Amino acid sequence: MSKAPFVSVSIATAALGTALGAMALQLRAHGYEQYVESVATFSVLMYITAALTVVTWVRDGRPHAN
């Protein structure tokens, strides 16, 4: 597979994780403590997904055994 889909999906997912992390900080600052844990958890999940996308790209680039 080509490199472009893996890179773009990984970057977009990491950007979403960053945005959600910033949102969690804003929620905490404005007193919405009941939502902070959920948003922060989803942010971490986005970073893990981005990392797994990179791992998939690396594994796809290796030669396949016949």
Side-chain angles (χ1 to χ4, degrees), residues 2-20:
S2 67
K3 180 170 136 178
F6 289 111
V7 173
S8 61
V9 167
S10 181
I11 290 172
T13 307
L16 179 59
T18 303
L20 288 169

Side-chain angles (χ1 to χ4, degrees), residues 47-59:
Y47 282 120
I48 292 170
T49 303
L52 289 175
T53 303
V54 171
V55 168
T56 302
W57 169 52
V58 169
R59 288 182 55 94

Side-chain angles (χ1 to χ4, degrees), residues 27-41:
L27 288 171
R28 185 177 303 256
H30 290 285
Y32 293 102
E33 289 289 329
Q34 67 267 27
Y35 302 113
V36 171
E37 184 179 352
S38 298
V39 174
T41 301

